[in-house]
């Protein structure tokens, strides 16, 4: 199978319908905007940390908010967004793997340069990482347990996604599709829980397993991309991005494995954990058996 240069035109999926806002998508304009606002992305993280921990302090002596209706709406909208994003980006991924091969999927950024549908939803994906900071607002106002994994994950994903979009990193194709897939299931579950629907007890465990699998695949894609760079093959990634990506996904893998162990394997802990909106768990004391 031919390995194409990222400057060559590649075939794209035959979408049943392309919306006008997708047709009008111009990658270079959004890339320039991201590059011009790189510093602002760091400011957003600083504001996020101040609001989160300032909010926790503010809520110490105050009654928790219920916010169930808002939680249902929030989770439902993010679930719908993730499902739509997956449905608009997965066809491009499958098409590239089928007709152009794995190398192209990790090294050639045609998904954003030459496919307006996938490109538009890559732009939405990058912006959504700022929107997802809102998950933490519910945790703070509802006085739920805020663990390190939650806010560390939000900040690092946001920064990495922003910088990857600005630098046109090709392996982001994989990271985007995987994240859309996991979030489409995760936020659907949160929406159902907020509506007080009874769901099978294995669902939270399955979501955590999917998250761990996502981290393993993220590490593999990053390592393979780095190998292509070291082999002097044409690959629209950068060494610093790939090194950061490997370290980031490895840290996620360790933290999610630790979370999985404490949540579903360790039977002698002091806390029983139940899944919450943030993808972590609310801690409630229980007596060990």
């Amino acid at each position: 199978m031919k390995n194409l240069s990222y400057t060559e035109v590649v075939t794209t999926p035959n979408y049943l319908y392309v919306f006008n806002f997708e047709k009008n998508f111009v990658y270079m304009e959004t890339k320039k905007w991201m590059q011009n606002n790189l510093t602002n992305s760091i400011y957003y993280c600083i504001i996020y940390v101040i609001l989160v921990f300032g909010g926790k302090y503010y809520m110490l002596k105050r009654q928790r908010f219920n916010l169930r209706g808002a939680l249902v709406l929030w989770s439902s909208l993010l679930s719908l967004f993730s499902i739509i994003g997956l449905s608009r980006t997965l066809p491009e991924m499958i098409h590239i793997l089928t007709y152009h091969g794995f190398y192209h999927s990790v090294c050639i950024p045609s998904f954003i340069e030459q496919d307006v549908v996938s490109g538009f939803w890559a732009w939405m994906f990058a912006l959504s990482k700022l929107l997802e900071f809102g998950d933490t607002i519910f945790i703070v106002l509802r006085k739920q347990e805020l663990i390190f994994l939650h806010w560390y994950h939000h900040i690092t994903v946001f920064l990495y996604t922003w910088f990857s979009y600005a630098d046109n990193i090709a392996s982001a194709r994989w990271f985007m599709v995987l994240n859309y897939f996991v979030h489409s299931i995760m936020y659907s579950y949160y929406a159902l829980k907020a509506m007080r629907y009874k769901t099978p007890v294995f669902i939270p465990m399955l979501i955590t397993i999917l998250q761990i699998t996502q981290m393993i695949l993220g590490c593999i894609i990053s390592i393979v991309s780095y190998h292509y760079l070291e082999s002097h093959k044409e690959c629209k990634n950068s060494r610093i991005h790939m090194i950061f990506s490997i370290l980031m996904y490895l840290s996620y893998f360790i933290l999610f494995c630790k979370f999985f162990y404490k949540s579903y394997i360790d039977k002698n802990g002091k806390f029983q954990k139940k899944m919450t909106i943030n993808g972590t768990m609310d801690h409630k004391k229980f007596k060990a058996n």
Side-chain angles (χ1 to χ4, degrees):
M1 192 168 291
K2 181 184 178 183
N3 290 333
L4 297 176
S5 164
Y6 75 90
T7 59
E8 295 182 68
V9 176
V10 300
T11 58
T12 56
N14 292 318
Y15 297 101
L16 293 177
Y17 188 82
V18 179
F19 297 94
N20 286 332
F21 57 80
E22 294 171 334
K23 291 178 183 177
N24 296 330
F25 172 75
V26 180
Y27 167 65
M28 291 307 298
E29 292 180 0
T30 57
K31 176 182 178 180
K32 184 177 179 180
W33 186 88
M34 281 290 202
Q35 291 174 334
N36 291 338
N37 288 275
L38 285 176
T39 304
N40 288 343
S41 66
I42 299 175
Y43 294 154
Y44 296 151
C45 291
I46 294 173
I47 293 171
Y48 168 75
V49 170
I50 293 173
L51 290 177
V52 166
F53 291 97
K56 277 179 62 66
Y57 179 79
Y58 175 80
M59 291 297 296
L60 280 177
K61 297 182 180 180
R62 290 170 173 79
Q63 291 293 321
R64 65 184 293 272
F65 293 89
N66 183 273
L67 300 176
R68 184 167 298 277
L71 194 55
V72 170
L73 180 62
W74 177 260
S75 300
S76 299
L77 289 175
L78 286 177
S79 170
L80 180 61
F81 169 78
S82 299
I83 292 170
I84 295 173
L86 179 64
S87 70
R88 302 305 274 171
T89 56
L90 182 59
E92 193 275 344
M93 166 79 85
I94 295 174
H95 179 87
I96 290 299
L97 288 172
T98 302
Y99 294 100
H100 302 290
F102 177 76
Y103 163 79
H104 184 111
S105 74
V106 297
C107 284
I108 312 299
S110 56
F111 75 103
I112 196 168
E113 290 183 340
Q114 300 177 27
D115 189 314
V116 291
V117 175
S118 179
F120 174 82
W121 288 98
W123 167 239
M124 291 296 99
F125 177 77
L127 294 181
S128 72
K129 296 306 151 189
L130 177 60
L131 181 66
E132 286 174 9
F133 280 173
D135 286 354
T136 320
I137 294 175
F138 287 99
I139 297 171
V140 171
L141 295 182
R142 299 179 81 207
K143 298 185 75 169
Q144 294 172 326
E145 187 76 11
L146 178 66
I147 65 175
F148 172 74
L149 171 59
H150 173 83
W151 60 268
Y152 165 74
H153 181 263
H154 271 296
I155 290 175
T156 50
V157 166
F158 168 70
L159 288 174
Y160 183 76
T161 303
W162 195 291
F163 279 76
S164 294
Y165 191 94
D167 285 348
N168 197 16
I169 298 300
S171 56
R173 172 191 276 112
W174 278 88
F175 306 151
M176 173 182 66
V177 174
L178 287 171
N179 196 255
Y180 268 139
F181 170 69
V182 173
H183 278 200
S184 65
I185 298 173
M186 186 180 73
Y187 281 114
S188 295
Y189 170 74
Y190 296 154
L192 291 174
K193 290 292 289 184
M195 295 175 194
R196 294 183 176 175
Y197 278 97
K198 290 185 178 180
T199 56
V201 294
F202 68 86
I203 295 298
M205 182 183 294
L206 174 62
I207 291 172
T208 308
I209 291 173
L210 287 175
Q211 289 170 322
I212 292 173
T213 303
Q214 179 187 352
M215 305 319 160
I216 294 173
L217 291 175
C219 281
I220 292 173
I221 296 300
S222 301
I223 292 170
V224 171
S225 299
Y226 188 82
H227 172 73
Y228 282 138
L229 287 169
E230 291 299 298
S231 301
H232 304 290
K233 290 189 177 182
E234 181 177 19
C235 196
K236 190 62 178 67
N237 294 310
S238 72
R239 286 175 175 80
I240 189 169
H241 272 86
M242 292 305 99
I243 292 173
F244 184 83
S245 178
I246 293 169
L247 294 175
M248 182 182 72
Y249 274 108
L250 182 60
S251 69
Y252 294 163
F253 173 74
I254 294 171
L255 290 170
F256 273 103
C257 283
K258 181 180 179 182
F259 171 76
F260 184 89
Y261 175 79
K262 288 186 175 181
S263 303
Y264 308 113
I265 298 176
D266 183 15
K267 301 299 182 182
N268 299 314
K270 297 180 179 180
F271 299 101
Q272 180 179 19
K273 303 177 175 72
K274 294 184 178 181
M275 191 69 78
T276 67
I277 177 65
N278 63 326
T280 60
M281 292 191 176
D282 189 19
H283 300 59
K284 292 186 178 180
K285 290 183 179 180
F286 81 110
K287 293 182 180 179
N289 293 330

